[in-house]
Amino acid sequence: MSTIARHGHNPRDVALMPGPGFRLAAAGLSLGLLAACSSGRPLQPAPPLYILWERPGVNEQGVRDAMLACGYSNAAHVDYGRTSPNDYARAQLCMLDQGYTYKERRIICADAPELPACAQVPRGKTFGTDPDFDPALLDRRAARPPAYTLWSRPDADSDGVKRAMLACGYATVVEPVGVMAPNDMAAAQLCMLDQRFTYALPPQGLLCKSSPALPSCRGRRNDVPDCCAAPNAAGQR
């Protein structure tokens, strides 16, 4: 029986608290979104993921095996570079469908119902220890501009920007944050910069500025005003 069939929609009128679920924000915040899934324990390391799931009669190894079968890249921690919020949401829903209980506050879909994986999940349900909430609270969030409006170049109209984004590896030109792994998005952003496109948001919104340890960012200078210059050729300074 699916998650949707097992859990009816019974929202309670409580404030939407900042939980460990993903909040889709401006492009470039994917790593922060993935980190947010740990819990509300400030200044403490996130617990291993496998202790956040339980099912009667299943030991730790069984939980780990189930997580990997559901699409987690690692049963102990989030692989921030390779995991998109949508992939993580799909893995969480799979665990719920397998009869596991989530012991943290809320799953990703509670805060990001716009993710493709969350399309059939009842809005306002947390599936964790937080109480259900009024889903109308989610509709009060400010709308984000389409991603293609954040890139510009004097000789490129909006269609030209879209073509360049797709050629650079963007999975979508509208809202890529939820469906792209951070490392893939970093590579696409670098490609756009190399094509002499300008990014409308502050440079900190670019992943190689905020998360220079991503594999795609290695060798790129992020101490320049517009973020991420290509490495110098041999012999150049």
Side-chain angles (χ1 to χ4, degrees):
M1 185 179 295
S2 72
T3 299
I4 308 307
R6 288 206 323 271
H7 299 277
H9 182 33
N10 182 28
R12 302 169 193 164
D13 188 14
V14 298
L16 181 59
M17 299 292 293
F22 288 46
R23 292 163 202 56
L24 297 185
L29 296 184
S30 297
L31 294 183
L33 295 174
L34 289 167
C37 73
S38 58
S39 72
R41 300 186 182 91
L43 303 181
Q44 295 185 26
L49 294 180
Y50 57 81
I51 73 169
L52 303 181
W53 294 100
E54 67 179 5
R55 193 177 80 178
V58 179
N59 61 18
E60 179 184 301
Q61 187 58 52
V63 174
R64 288 172 174 259
D65 292 343
M67 292 176 67
L68 295 176
C70 275
Y72 280 86
S73 58
N74 191 298
H77 58 82
V78 181
D79 186 337
Y80 296 112
R82 292 191 303 158
T83 304
S84 74
N86 194 62
D87 291 338
Y88 202 92
R90 186 182 296 112
Q92 287 185 325
L93 293 174
C94 174
M95 291 295 286
L96 291 172
D97 284 342
Q98 297 301 315
Y100 285 85
T101 298
Y102 191 52
K103 299 191 292 181
E104 267 292 3
R105 292 176 55 190
R106 59 210 297 149
I107 64 169
I108 300 161
C109 289
D111 293 313
E114 61 267 43
L115 288 172
C118 305
Q120 302 303 316
V121 176
R123 291 169 60 90
K125 290 195 66 66
T126 66
F127 296 92
T129 59
D130 274 2
D132 297 340
F133 57 87
D134 182 353
L137 294 170
L138 292 170
D139 297 329
R140 299 176 188 172
R141 298 173 300 175
R144 295 177 301 278
Y148 67 85
T149 65
L150 301 177
W151 292 103
S152 64
R153 197 175 66 187
D155 63 343
D157 59 13
S158 61
D159 287 338
V161 173
K162 293 175 184 178
R163 288 193 296 270
M165 290 178 68
L166 294 174
C168 278
Y170 273 91
T172 170
V173 300
V174 177
E175 182 56 275
V177 176
V179 298
M180 291 184 70
N183 191 61
D184 294 339
M185 182 174 286
Q189 290 177 339
L190 290 174
C191 175
M192 292 295 285
L193 293 173
D194 289 345
Q195 299 298 316
R196 299 296 186 265
F197 282 89
T198 299
Y199 193 56
L201 298 180
Q204 195 64 26
L206 295 165
L207 279 168
C208 287
K209 186 72 170 180
S210 60
S211 305
L214 286 170
S216 291
C217 305
R218 292 171 186 166
R220 305 293 294 234
R221 294 178 54 208
N222 70 352
D223 59 345
V224 293
D226 293 330
C227 174
C228 315
N232 292 330
Q236 291 184 346
R237 293 187 178 181

